[in-house]
Amino acid sequence: MTLTLDILLSGLVLGGMYALIAMGLTLQYGIARIMNLSYGEFLVAAAFGALFLFTGMAVNPILGLLLIVPASFAANWLLYRVVLTPLVKRAKNQGMLEVDSILGTFGVLFVIQGIMQVVFGGALQSYSYLSVPVRILGTTLAANRILALVFALVIGGLLYLLLTRTRYGTALRAIAVNPVAAQLSGIDIAAASGLAFAAGGAIVGAGGVLISMFLTFSAASGVIFTMKALIVVIMGGVGNMMGALVAGLLLGIAETAVARLVDPGLTIAVTYALFLGALLWRPTGLFGRPAR
Amino acid sequence: MTTKRTCLTALAVAAVSAAFAFGAPAQAQDTIKIGWAISKTGPFAAGAAVTTLPNYQVWVKDVNDAGGINVGGKKMKVEVIEYDDRSNSEEMIKAVERLATQDKVDFILPPWSTGMNLAAAPIFNKLGYPHLAVTANTNQSPQLSKRWPNMTFWLGLPSQLVDGIVETFSKMQKDGKIGNKIAMIAVADQFGIEQSTAAREGLKKAGFELVYDKSYPFGSQDMQPVLKDAQAANPDVLIAFSYPPDTFAITDTMKVLAFNPKAVYLGVGTAFPGYKGKFQANAEGVMGVGGSDANLPGIKAYIAHHKEIIGREPDRWASPITYASLQVLQQAIERVGKIDRAAVINEINTGSFDTIIGKVKLEGGQNVNVWTVGQWQGNDFFGIAPTAKAGAKAPIDKPKW
Amino acid sequence: MNISRVYAGAGIAAVIAILAAVPLFASGYHLALGISLLYFTVLATAWALFSGPTHYIALATAAFFGIGAYTTAVLPDLLPIPLILLIAAVVGVLIALVVGLSTLRLSGIYFVIFSFGLSELIRQLVTWYEVNIHGSVGRYIFAETTSEGIYWRLLALAVAVLCVGWLIRHSRLGLAVRVIGQDETVARHCGIDTTRAKLALFAISAAFMTVTGAIMAPRWTYIDPAIAFNPMISFEVVIMALFGGAGALFGPLLGAVPLVLLFELLIGTFPNYFSILLGLVFVLIVYALPQGVFGLMAARVPSFGRAASATGMSALAEIIFGRVWPRAARREAAGDAPVLRLTDVRKSFGGLVAVDNLSFELRRGEILGLIGPNGSGKTTALNLISGAILPDSGDIQLDGRPIARLPAHRVAQRGVARTFQLVRVLGASTCLENVIAGLAFHSQALWGEAADTRARELLTRVGLGDKADMPASQFTYIDQKRLELARALALDPDVLLLDEWLAGLNPSELQVGIALVKMLRDEGLTIIIVEHMMDAIRSLCDRCVVMNTGAKIAEGPPAAVLADKEVIRAYLGDADD
């Protein structure tokens, strides 16, 4: 019983991190319809930002969020307006946009990675913040990881409410479902998509800052996070905020359970097995709309 | 449209000419050309940026500041040509070929990691360049040096590193400092598996009981599950053959869990300056692979010098050895007195050299006189095993986190 | 014609000979560069074999490449190399078949990420196996190989993959995936077993990737999962193929060669800024070359563009790749019984009952009008008959044999052809290829000269004889309708289903259309038309079945049913209230 509870809590905390990483991408891909391969680079850039503020200027990362989140929002908005808008305008259909955005953001990935390499060097980076034990129901957890979970839940909940309960959210969802029809009904697609993309950027910025408190990272780590985020997003169902949250938590619990009960060597394998299994069971993700 | 085409044509022409038309102009040599292909991008970049690349840079600067390498009475400065292998074996092989046949460099410094060095071995051998495979660590190395006599190994055999661990803990047990229960975790990669396989055998033979023994996948982002089970087994010693990100995560998690075995040995990364930087007083007493005799004047100067040039201290395992291997190369060239690679290889294999890590004399291509276990004591990571090695410190008790 | 073929053949042979001679005079570096060029060319071309026509973006290249590398590492060094490569190919094909069966029902981004997840899963499982069973993660390969040997093997493989690509393009398999890539529904109703076609191509593509890995492995002396399953390979290959143009045989080659050279240029000139420059170049490429290098060339050199959509057929290709298709059963000679019989067929979507216990018979040689107000279930009924969807209950028999549970391509092969309510032609293909798509997959499939001749006959018959070589996308609406009919007729059907085929025609076109349908009936074809135009129904139909809200409400000659009170009420609504 204690073991079950332990696994559940530790798994939730790990899953909270996955969900946090994934939620920005689900906005960017689900609503702005951009398959952003440079997503993880923004996360690592935010982590470097937090590191620099903390070690260089003694600004604690929580305060750092106030600076880094708006910066990441702005950077992503610019990326969308400058680099991606021409591609969106040019694309005749979703397939073309997908190919173009994969190629384009793959380029952006290298640019950002290269800049970080030049500025910060290639070495691994890490610092300690809020690495203190918190006891919940007899289970010891790290405060910084719990913070990531809390953020994931808050952001997920807020976005869910925003998307389902407000007029603007309805407009955004309309874009996700059918951009052409949404345009006909008077929604300014370009502005709304840009905003959704930038909002995704803000979330990934927050994710980067929070994760930098407990994970070691280097300029080359971005791809790992992009892939993890993609897996969570796809497993949850593209554009579905709750889906990303649930899928992330599920993966966290599954990984922890396998590590404790079966073999820690299989934790990453089980992530992929679960992901592949979920897609075979529901080809458009756990919470995705059924394909027509 | 036309400009676009022109641009593309220009690009193509430039690419082709760069690839094919790089003829090395023949001229009287007054510099010594040294090249390397190393991971500046991709997953290996982090490792290379800690252990290898900074030492190449420090060494080149040191040599050139001193006026160059003395080749037959003539001081020749070092000219560097470097490529990025993008953490890809094939790119690395191509770059080494390029250094040798296009740039016609005089010597080639090795890439980073065991896999890369093994992939480089046949090509270094075919081209006849000395291969200082510092970051290659495998039990196969004596056979490999026989197969490719130009290839030398510097970190000691994995089994030797494990012997150091067994020696250290046996001694501590004899002294009554620890019991016989050991928990062991290892990253599921060549390093972790070779080490843990050897350690399993060695520790059992020495009478230890392995109360927890698991591997975890490369790239794990949460060490808590593994450590909780290890903690539940209530060991006297925790041994982790881990990679740097995991080493940091393990330390962090152990602190959070208040997991306090009497001794802690963590794999690669403990000897990094960043480890001490991050954990400060908590680093005290943590053991790990490598170590150095920080009281040697050469090491002291090297550390200060490295910090001055690179902006941070070197790691205390492979970094000093990498620098020492370059000193060996330099001294071998100077003794031979000309750019004769075969003679230099022979000299590296047979000569005896004074370096920052003390006297180096290879045996069968192996540098066996290395620190196998180090421990943070105060501000430095001192070698504690093999105990017979000059300058070995006695292990201290690890304070609780 | 023959002379130019001889020249082309001689030219190709000369190019191969020159490339084969490269190791004799190249320096070690140029040889290594050649190896890079070749192995990316093979991988990108192999990738595009499957992903080009189907538009499935697969990120599984690293998985197959890694499996190939591991095959070499696991097998003893003493085995002859051809045997090792053969084993690798077989392993690749087997894994591709298993993977393909489970994944090809995913589409779009789901497939993309699934294929990536799969590579990672395979890598993790290999690692776990090596750790726990083999007891060591790395494997040494001490096979005696030289760079020259690897170069020649890769060159042979590159020639092979291009030959195979050429042959596939000129075989029915190539036609099948071109049709699938444009419109999978049309493909199925042309009698194409789409799963089989995609699976076959996926496996062929995987075999080449696996063999590439097996060839390359000895070059690295040492293999571990991180080296063998390097995910960057998957991405680089996609970028190269898309950059070159994945739709054309030589597209990936045109992408791989300049990009490899570009990487080399950047890495040599700016080793510290390689990433930034590479990224900028990628972004520029996306802007400057939306259609890829091949698209750029096709836009400038007309002969390039033609090659991309030509239908050329080859008997040799068909001998090799025809084995993909099972032999279709010959159709039974017909008796006097009804051609088609529906018994209590029912289909509901969620809560909506679209077809409600529908029963009717279709007599040989008649035109049956299936009519009713909008939303009455007519098109759903056609979809059920043609196998596009499966009924919830009830029975459909063709010539006395049940077809209700058969997939669309089997129904089409048995002689049920259809057109679509919203006209569907293959816009990127020529008019001729559209028709050949109908000819090539039914039970008495035609190919080569025979198919060409028959397709031109059919086109002449529907009045498109002079437009055979035009791309279908340039057609007017009426011509697209004609073309769709020709494609349906190409199936040599017993039953033809026309879904509002006459809709949208102007009065004079309508007369032509009606005459055409009558002529088909007079030649012995049995036809169901779904139609709204009463004039057409009166002049064409022998009988009518009237549907409303999914159920049959009347049946009989047009004059009688159109006078029926219930039918009038269904069309006009309740006039009583």
Side-chain angles (χ1 to χ4, degrees):
Chain A
M1 190 58 215
T2 33
L3 180 64
T4 318
L5 197 66
D6 196 13
I7 289 174
L8 213 59
L9 286 172
S10 310
L12 277 177
V13 169
L14 178 65
M17 177 185 104
Y18 293 157
L20 182 66
I21 298 175
M23 271 185 298
L25 191 68
T26 201
L27 276 185
Q28 293 191 336
Y29 183 65
I31 291 172
R33 299 178 302 127
I34 298 290
M35 178 79 263
N36 182 8
L37 288 184
S38 65
Y39 183 78
E41 266 51 43
F42 280 96
L43 186 129
V44 175
F48 269 113
L51 172 80
F52 174 74
L53 287 177
F54 185 64
T55 55
M57 310 175 73
V59 178
N60 86 47
I62 309 279
L63 284 177
L65 280 174
L66 297 177
L67 194 68
I68 289 169
V69 169
S72 185
F73 181 92
N76 276 273
W77 190 80
L78 274 178
L79 175 69
Y80 187 83
R81 297 304 297 189
V82 178
V83 180
L84 298 170
T85 307
L87 300 181
V88 175
K89 285 198 176 133
R90 187 175 86 189
K92 292 198 188 77
N93 55 47
Q94 177 65 22
M96 275 183 70
L97 180 59
E98 222 145 67
V99 169
D100 278 354
S101 59
I102 285 177
L103 289 171
T105 56
F106 196 62
V108 175
L109 177 163
F110 279 110
V111 173
I112 302 177
Q113 193 177 322
I115 293 173
M116 291 193 296
Q117 198 101 37
V118 171
V119 177
F120 297 103
L124 286 166
Q125 304 288 348
S126 134
Y127 66 93
S128 267
Y129 186 74
L130 275 188
S131 179
V132 290
V134 175
R135 285 189 72 81
I136 298 174
L137 302 175
T139 296
T140 310
L141 299 163
N144 44 23
R145 283 180 184 256
I146 293 176
L147 193 65
L149 170 67
V150 170
F151 260 80
L153 293 174
V154 169
I155 293 174
L158 282 180
L159 279 175
Y160 181 76
L161 289 178
L162 181 83
L163 286 175
T164 53
R165 299 289 152 82
T166 67
R167 261 183 71 83
Y168 199 75
T170 313
L172 286 178
R173 282 188 299 135
I175 296 173
V177 177
N178 188 341
V180 179
Q183 182 128 41
L184 292 178
S185 42
I187 299 168
D188 182 350
I189 303 249
S193 298
L195 208 61
F197 191 86
I203 296 176
V204 76
V209 173
L210 291 164
I211 281 169
S212 70
M213 297 179 196
F214 53 87
L215 282 191
T216 308
F217 56 92
S218 78
S221 325
V223 184
I224 301 166
F225 294 113
T226 308
M227 284 304 145
K228 199 85 190 192
L230 269 175
I231 281 179
V232 175
V233 167
I234 298 294
M235 187 172 157
V238 167
N240 190 312
M241 213 39 76
M242 279 296 123
L245 193 58
V246 172
L249 296 178
L250 208 62
L251 286 181
I253 294 172
E255 262 188 45
T256 311
V258 167
R260 298 297 295 277
L261 305 175
V262 188
D263 183 346
L266 286 173
T267 48
I268 296 186
V270 88
T271 306
Y272 288 106
L274 203 64
F275 164 71
L276 301 186
L279 273 198
L280 290 181
W281 175 48
R282 293 182 66 99
T284 54
L286 294 177
F287 296 88
R289 280 178 294 275
R292 294 220 310 134
Chain B
M1 245 4 202
T2 321
T3 43
K4 199 191 287 171
R5 184 167 42 175
T6 320
C7 277
L8 285 164
T9 318
L11 198 69
V13 170
V16 172
S17 55
F20 288 97
F22 253 72
Q27 53 177 228
Q29 193 171 10
D30 43 18
T31 60
I32 214 167
K33 275 210 241 177
I34 292 193
W36 60 72
I38 203 160
S39 310
K40 284 168 176 275
T41 53
F44 295 167
V50 170
T51 329
T52 305
L53 195 52
N55 289 298
Y56 291 177
Q57 290 161 344
V58 171
W59 176 74
V60 169
K61 187 166 187 316
D62 287 354
V63 168
N64 285 343
D65 285 355
I69 299 179
N70 185 347
V71 184
K74 181 176 166 195
K75 285 263 189 182
M76 293 168 78
K77 289 211 171 185
V78 170
E79 180 192 340
V80 170
I81 297 175
E82 59 172 350
Y83 296 122
D84 176 3
D85 67 30
R86 297 193 275 143
S87 304
N88 177 320
S89 306
E90 186 54 37
E91 289 297 320
M92 186 274 303
I93 292 176
K94 179 150 54 92
V96 169
E97 289 269 21
R98 185 171 180 177
L99 287 168
T101 58
Q102 291 305 110
D103 306 321
K104 307 216 180 327
V105 298
D106 299 305
F107 293 96
I108 302 177
L109 303 185
W112 181 85
S113 90
T114 304
M116 283 289 198
N117 272 296
L118 289 171
I123 195 79
F124 270 79
N125 184 258
K126 191 190 86 185
L127 297 167
Y129 282 83
H131 183 182
L132 311 163
V134 177
T135 49
N137 189 228
T138 161
N139 279 326
Q140 299 268 337
S141 53
Q143 290 92 302
L144 295 173
S145 283
K146 267 193 207 112
R147 188 181 181 92
W148 297 300
N150 63 321
M151 190 178 194
T152 48
F153 292 85
W154 298 76
L155 292 183
L157 297 174
S159 61
Q160 197 185 340
L161 302 180
V162 166
D163 291 344
I165 294 171
V166 175
E167 182 193 353
T168 305
F169 292 131
S170 297
K171 174 100 182 358
M172 288 173 78
Q173 192 191 14
K174 214 172 289 162
D175 296 347
K177 288 183 174 171
I178 55 172
N180 75 333
K181 287 199 287 188
I182 291 187
M184 182 168 79
I185 58 180
V187 62
D189 204 22
Q190 182 67 344
F191 164 77
I193 298 312
E194 271 204 4
Q195 296 272 351
S196 60
T197 309
R200 194 169 295 125
E201 208 174 302
L203 290 168
K204 277 186 187 154
K205 211 177 281 172
F208 286 101
E209 183 196 353
L210 280 176
V211 290
Y212 185 78
D213 179 5
K214 291 277 184 203
S215 71
Y216 64 88
F218 179 60
S220 287
Q221 285 170 335
D222 188 7
M223 301 307 300
Q224 188 155 316
V226 184
L227 288 172
K228 273 190 176 160
D229 280 343
Q231 185 176 22
N234 199 21
D236 297 296
V237 178
L238 177 86
I239 297 177
F241 296 112
S242 49
Y243 278 146
D246 322 332
T247 302
F248 283 70
I250 288 171
T251 311
D252 234 344
T253 310
M254 286 179 80
K255 266 170 62 186
V256 168
L257 294 177
F259 178 15
N260 276 306
K262 295 192 185 76
V264 176
Y265 174 99
L266 306 178
V268 188
T270 319
F272 285 9
Y275 187 85
K276 174 80 181 170
K278 172 166 178 166
F279 297 109
Q280 301 293 332
N282 275 317
E284 185 72 3
V286 177
M287 299 180 199
V289 60
S292 64
D293 182 357
N295 296 327
L296 278 181
I299 288 281
K300 260 192 184 147
Y302 161 73
I303 289 172
H305 199 186
H306 187 287
K307 186 168 185 186
E308 185 191 319
I309 296 171
I310 305 296
R312 60 184 143 80
E313 292 188 0
D315 85 274
R316 303 299 206 278
W317 181 32
S319 270
I321 300 180
T322 304
Y323 190 88
S325 75
L326 299 173
Q327 289 184 302
V328 168
L329 176 68
Q330 178 184 357
Q331 289 170 31
I333 297 170
E334 289 180 343
R335 282 180 207 170
V336 170
K338 56 185 177 195
I339 311 286
D340 177 346
R341 288 186 282 271
V344 170
I345 290 171
N346 186 45
E347 181 59 31
I348 291 172
N349 274 309
T350 55
S352 160
F353 305 88
D354 275 321
T355 69
I356 55 163
I357 56 169
K359 197 170 276 305
V360 169
K361 169 99 178 69
L362 300 187
E363 291 159 31
Q366 315 293 309
N367 173 35
V368 290
N369 186 18
V370 292
W371 293 111
T372 52
V373 180
Q375 185 181 39
W376 281 105
Q377 298 184 5
N379 279 326
D380 228 302
F381 191 70
F382 287 95
I384 56 172
T387 45
K389 189 167 156 68
K393 289 238 182 189
I396 57 167
D397 293 338
K398 188 195 164 308
K400 290 196 168 182
W401 299 112
Chain C
M1 181 70 186
N2 275 340
I3 296 288
S4 69
R5 272 203 177 176
V6 171
Y7 279 137
I12 292 169
V15 168
I16 296 173
I18 291 171
L19 288 175
V22 163
L24 302 180
F25 51 80
S27 74
Y29 166 59
H30 290 142
L31 193 56
L33 189 59
I35 288 175
S36 272
L37 288 169
L38 283 173
Y39 104 94
F40 276 118
T41 298
V42 174
L43 289 177
T45 309
W47 182 85
L49 277 186
F50 169 74
S51 296
T54 59
H55 305 303
Y56 280 75
I57 296 185
L59 288 177
T61 310
F64 293 111
F65 183 86
I67 288 167
Y70 259 89
T71 309
T72 302
V74 170
L75 293 174
D77 294 346
L78 300 171
L79 284 186
I81 288 165
L83 184 62
I84 291 180
L85 299 186
L86 184 69
I87 294 173
V90 171
V91 172
V93 165
L94 290 178
I95 293 179
L97 289 178
V98 173
V99 168
L101 272 178
S102 58
T103 58
L104 290 176
R105 69 200 199 96
L106 299 173
S107 58
I109 195 70
Y110 292 95
F111 177 82
V112 180
I113 307 304
F114 188 98
S115 61
F116 176 82
L118 189 87
S119 315
E120 288 298 301
L121 179 67
I122 291 177
R123 168 179 166 172
Q124 290 296 331
L125 293 178
V126 168
T127 307
W128 190 84
Y129 175 90
E130 295 285 78
V131 169
N132 292 285
I133 319 273
H134 180 242
S136 164
V137 175
R139 284 177 185 264
Y140 292 85
I141 305 169
F142 289 130
E144 283 300 334
T145 36
T146 57
S147 298
E148 288 80 4
I150 287 172
Y151 177 89
W152 280 319
R153 266 164 242 150
L154 285 173
L155 180 63
L157 193 63
V159 171
V161 73
L162 287 168
C163 283
V164 165
W166 189 89
L167 287 170
I168 288 176
R169 281 167 174 273
H170 294 80
S171 73
R172 287 197 292 156
L173 180 58
L175 174 62
V177 285
R178 274 200 298 282
V179 178
I180 292 170
Q182 293 183 57
D183 192 328
E184 198 157 343
T185 307
V186 167
R188 281 196 285 266
H189 290 292
C190 283
I192 298 173
D193 186 342
T194 55
T195 309
R196 190 179 277 264
K198 287 191 280 188
L199 209 54
L201 220 53
F202 190 59
I204 294 170
S205 152
F208 279 104
M209 294 171 177
T210 320
V211 172
T212 312
I215 292 178
M216 290 300 285
R219 194 164 156 76
W220 303 333
T221 314
Y222 171 85
I223 292 291
D224 69 21
I227 293 173
F229 296 95
N230 180 354
M232 276 308 280
I233 291 181
S234 300
F235 285 99
E236 284 171 348
V237 163
V238 173
I239 299 283
M240 286 173 183
L242 292 179
F243 170 54
L249 179 59
F250 288 100
L253 176 82
L254 291 175
V257 171
L259 281 183
V260 168
L261 293 178
L262 176 72
F263 290 173
E264 206 52 27
L265 169 74
L266 291 180
I267 252 175
T269 326
F270 309 100
N272 291 312
Y273 300 95
F274 171 71
S275 274
I276 301 179
L277 292 170
L278 181 71
L280 290 175
V281 169
F282 272 166
V283 175
L284 282 182
I285 285 173
V286 178
Y287 285 107
L289 292 176
Q291 305 295 319
V293 178
F294 197 89
L296 187 77
M297 294 173 83
R300 279 162 213 286
V301 190
S303 64
F304 260 88
R306 208 178 53 221
S309 63
T311 315
M313 288 173 278
S314 156
L316 171 67
E318 198 40 42
I319 291 169
I320 298 172
F321 294 106
R323 293 173 192 283
V324 168
W325 312 107
R327 206 166 283 264
R330 288 188 76 83
R331 296 211 292 264
E332 302 284 318
D336 269 347
V339 187
L340 191 71
R341 175 186 282 142
L342 276 72
T343 315
D344 294 333
V345 175
R346 183 183 167 89
K347 178 74 189 177
S348 62
F349 298 105
L352 177 80
V353 181
V355 169
D356 191 1
N357 290 344
L358 181 66
S359 304
F360 67 81
E361 288 181 355
L362 183 64
R363 297 170 200 153
R364 190 164 302 282
E366 73 171 346
I367 296 181
L368 178 77
L370 191 56
I371 62 175
N374 281 329
S376 58
K378 306 179 299 279
T379 295
T380 306
L382 289 196
N383 283 342
L384 287 166
I385 295 169
S386 63
I389 52 178
L390 298 184
D392 300 334
S393 62
D395 191 28
I396 305 172
Q397 291 195 337
L398 180 70
D399 287 329
R401 292 153 165 262
I403 58 165
R405 300 273 134 206
L406 292 184
H409 70 272
R410 298 278 302 277
V411 176
Q413 287 172 358
R414 295 237 178 146
V416 178
R418 70 173 295 181
T419 67
F420 297 90
Q421 193 174 0
L422 300 168
V423 63
R424 299 176 99 138
V425 295
L426 309 169
S429 295
T430 59
C431 181
L432 196 65
E433 183 162 283
N434 266 275
V435 180
I436 291 175
L439 284 169
F441 302 98
H442 64 78
S443 57
Q444 272 102 40
L446 294 179
W447 190 244
E449 294 280 315
D452 196 276
T453 313
R454 176 77 181 131
R456 286 179 194 277
E457 275 172 31
L458 286 166
L459 285 172
T460 307
R461 175 136 190 224
V462 298
L464 293 172
D466 51 341
K467 295 176 180 166
D469 298 313
M470 263 172 71
S473 56
Q474 294 174 8
F475 277 17
T476 59
Y477 186 64
I478 173 75
D479 281 352
Q480 291 193 13
K481 292 230 153 190
R482 284 174 163 164
L483 178 56
E484 207 184 25
L485 180 64
R487 189 179 65 211
L489 293 176
L491 280 164
D492 190 17
D494 292 335
V495 177
L496 179 62
L497 312 175
L498 298 177
D499 196 353
E500 300 192 23
W501 189 73
L502 295 166
L505 302 188
N506 67 34
S508 66
E509 288 169 346
L510 191 62
Q511 290 316 310
V512 177
I514 288 176
L516 192 58
V517 175
K518 270 189 178 155
M519 189 170 72
L520 294 174
R521 189 251 324 264
D522 295 344
E523 286 172 9
L525 210 57
T526 310
I527 300 170
I528 298 181
I529 62 171
V530 167
E531 203 49 71
H532 279 300
M533 267 177 295
M534 293 307 163
D535 290 347
I537 292 164
R538 283 202 184 87
S539 67
L540 272 176
C541 296
D542 300 305
R543 285 189 311 128
C544 283
V545 167
V546 188
M547 292 179 72
N548 190 25
T549 60
K552 180 171 85 177
I553 55 171
E555 182 172 2
V561 294
L562 290 177
D564 187 291
K565 260 192 176 164
E566 201 181 346
V567 173
I568 292 169
R569 193 173 334 133
Y571 267 99
L572 300 178
D574 272 324
D576 299 344
D577 294 330

